[in-house]
Amino acid sequence: MKYFRQVFEDKRLQAYINGGAGDETALQENEAILQSLRLIPRVMMDVEKANSHVNDILGAHDSPLVIGPTAFHRLVSTDGECSTALCSKLNNIPYVVSSFASCDVREIREILPASCYWQQLYIFNDPAITEEIVSDAEKFAAQAIIVTVGTPVSGDRPRERQAGWSVPAGVCARFNLKDPTTISQLARVSISQSATWDDIKNITMMTSIPILLKGILDPDDALRAVQIGCSGIIVSNHGGRQFDHSISALDTIGDIKEIVQGEIPIYLDGGIRTGLDVVKSIACGADRVLLGRAILWKLHEGGTSALNEYLHHINEEILHIMKLCGCPTISAISGLKVVRRV
Ligand code: LAC
């Protein structure tokens, strides 16, 4: 599968979705690192019955793919998150529903089976909102709560700023935005800048749903997440949308894996577009891999049918590459040797 990048008729929307922070160094590096990795295939491994199943603390699924949290799917497709939920269900791929979803979580959950419903959460300024999302996650039987960390403020994205893009009124289901609002304004009024590890600890006390932290890059923070009782971490620089010169997940996951010592699963995102990217990320240490922009691109290209076809195809590609690399299971991929071509 070739790399693709969606072109939008609405250039302001394109600036928002495709753009990254600053000079887009992190955004480009996420993709460039994936391109530079080479795997050393193993041979004679009986791959006839190769399967891409994963089974960890967050359940059993047919694929290591996760639909990552991205905001406002109705910006790209009429049925928004409801289309995404249907594709998640059809492919048995977990879907992390954003706190900034454009469809009501009740509606999404009518389509999405519990086994695929994971809920994204920020630490909000108003503790009542954080509590409401946690209690909704319980009501709708979320299998995980993914707390996004490392976003006390929104990254400065010149493309988006120069295009003058703002979130249209009425597109955020949970927050009643009456006027168009820039992402940095939305972050400023809603997301806490004073959040600490105590807030994460509080959330783990508030609910028995497994808590994962998304946005971890430093091994010491990964260790802290383990110590505080998190059930997993997602190594991520937020698709290069936050801090332009942040390290890429693939450059730090090895050190994180070493320090975490298998205590909790480690997932990864950033730049993943193809099955090959997924296999490379797992070879570098990821247990599961999240898709971000690619989901929005496919939804925009052709709604449910394009996204469904993409998810199906990417999984076929994962299986094909597993066979070529002598990996009958997903866990065998982590034993492959990886070389970085400079
Ligand atoms: C963004 C926020 C909404 O990156 O996550 O646009």
Side-chain angles (χ1 to χ4, degrees):
M1 194 194 297
K2 283 264 178 293
Y3 266 57
F4 59 99
R5 191 177 297 286
Q6 186 73 15
V7 173
F8 295 80
E9 266 161 46
D10 179 346
K11 294 302 166 201
R12 296 189 332 147
L13 180 61
Q14 175 165 306
Y16 170 59
I17 290 176
N18 292 4
D23 294 331
E24 304 193 341
T25 310
L27 170 64
Q28 283 159 21
E29 259 178 32
N30 286 351
E31 290 179 351
I33 291 168
L34 282 162
Q35 283 295 325
S36 72
L37 297 177
R38 300 290 177 270
L39 303 178
I40 307 186
R42 303 302 302 262
V43 297
M44 308 314 289
M45 294 297 295
D46 185 359
V47 291
E48 191 182 359
K49 297 199 179 75
N51 75 76
S52 60
H53 300 169
V54 290
N55 191 357
D56 61 22
I57 186 166
L58 296 192
H61 297 94
D62 296 344
S63 154
L65 295 171
V66 176
I67 300 176
T70 51
F72 319 125
H73 290 192
R74 274 173 45 217
L75 290 175
V76 292
S77 183
T78 323
D79 295 330
E81 287 79 5
C82 289
S83 289
T84 319
L86 183 58
C87 295
S88 155
K89 175 184 165 167
L90 293 171
N91 292 278
N92 185 25
I93 289 174
Y95 168 26
V96 189
V97 177
S98 171
S99 294
F100 292 145
S102 50
C103 296
D104 192 290
V105 68
R106 194 181 311 266
E107 252 183 303
I108 299 171
R109 197 44 188 86
E110 272 168 22
I111 299 164
L112 196 59
S115 61
C116 288
Y117 170 44
W118 297 2
Q119 176 64 51
Q120 184 265 349
L121 175 72
Y122 291 105
I123 308 290
F124 288 97
N125 273 329
D126 179 354
I129 296 176
T130 311
E131 282 162 28
E132 180 190 277
I133 295 176
V134 171
S135 101
D136 277 358
E138 285 185 332
K139 187 158 77 195
F140 296 115
Q143 304 300 294
I145 292 176
I146 314 296
V147 185
T148 301
V149 293
T151 60
V153 288
S154 165
D156 177 44
R157 305 172 202 152
R159 261 210 265 181
E160 181 185 315
R161 183 163 38 78
Q162 281 154 18
W165 189 82
S166 47
V167 188
V171 88
C172 191
R174 194 173 286 271
F175 302 89
N176 184 14
L177 304 177
K178 293 200 178 69
D179 299 306
T181 312
T182 64
I183 289 289
S184 43
Q185 277 167 335
L186 179 61
R188 203 174 318 120
V189 299
S190 62
I191 299 172
S192 168
Q193 295 191 22
S194 61
T196 68
W197 289 96
D198 288 342
D199 294 281
I200 304 297
K201 182 85 203 151
N202 282 344
I203 293 170
T204 64
M205 313 277 266
M206 229 184 259
T207 177
S208 57
I209 301 174
I211 305 296
L212 280 78
L213 301 188
K214 174 171 181 284
I216 297 289
L217 291 167
D218 189 302
D220 291 335
D221 283 340
L223 193 58
R224 192 85 188 253
V226 175
Q227 287 162 349
I228 223 159
C230 291
S231 299
I233 52 171
I234 302 170
V235 185
S236 167
N237 66 7
H238 309 283
R241 295 171 74 74
Q242 284 296 117
F243 172 45
D244 190 21
H245 282 233
S246 60
I247 194 169
S248 283
L250 283 160
D251 272 336
T252 184
I253 192 167
D255 293 337
I256 289 180
K257 206 171 165 69
E258 209 174 301
I259 209 162
V260 167
Q261 296 263 327
E263 291 274 331
I264 53 174
I266 301 171
Y267 305 161
L268 173 144
D269 77 2
I272 312 289
R273 318 284 183 237
T274 68
L276 181 57
D277 295 336
V278 174
V279 175
K280 286 178 173 179
S281 302
I282 296 172
C284 289
D287 294 303
R288 302 197 197 208
V289 174
L290 284 70
L291 299 163
R293 286 185 184 84
I295 300 294
L296 298 173
W297 291 337
K298 285 294 163 184
L299 275 177
H300 181 259
E301 184 187 302
T304 307
S305 77
L307 179 56
N308 190 42
E309 197 180 307
Y310 170 68
L311 292 173
H312 178 77
H313 186 79
I314 192 170
N315 222 42
E316 292 286 299
E317 196 189 18
I318 292 170
L319 275 170
H320 184 68
I321 294 164
M322 286 171 70
K323 289 183 178 181
L324 289 172
C325 290
C327 299
T329 60
I330 289 292
S331 56
I333 301 174
S334 56
L336 292 177
K337 296 185 185 74
V338 186
V339 177
R340 179 109 161 235
R341 200 164 161 262
V342 278

